[in-house]
Amino acid sequence: MKNILPIAIIILILFLFVFVVGVAINKSARVECLHWQQEAQNYQGFYLTRWQAEQCKSVKVEVNAPIK
C-alpha cells in the first residue's frame, strides 16, 4: 500500500505534463495561423499549403488565402 502514493503522484505529474504540452502546442499553432492571416492581408499572392490550412482549421482561425 505504501507504493501506491508515489505511483499516483508520478501518474498525476505525467498527466499534467501531457496536458500542458498539448495546450502549448495548440497556442503555438494559433499564433502561427494569426501570423499567416496577417501575411495574407499584407502580401498579394500569399497562399497556404494544405497542412497550413488544416492547422488553421483545427484552431479555428480563418486565413483568407488560396490553398496550393
Side-chain angles (χ1 to χ4, degrees), residues 1-58:
M1 282 293 182
K2 288 190 253 181
N3 294 336
I4 292 176
L5 185 60
I7 292 172
I9 291 172
I10 290 171
I11 290 172
L12 179 63
I13 289 171
L14 288 173
F15 175 76
L16 289 173
F17 178 76
V18 169
F19 176 76
V20 168
V21 168
V23 169
I25 289 171
N26 195 28
K27 285 188 177 194
S28 176
R30 183 166 174 76
V31 167
E32 280 185 325
C33 289
L34 291 172
H35 175 75
W36 296 329
Q37 187 181 56
Q38 189 66 40
E39 294 289 313
Q41 292 174 356
N42 292 338
Y43 299 108
Q44 187 175 0
F46 182 84
Y47 66 91
L48 294 175
T49 60
R50 289 193 194 287
W51 71 267
Q52 288 172 313
E54 288 297 319
Q55 175 178 318
C56 294
K57 184 178 177 183
S58 73

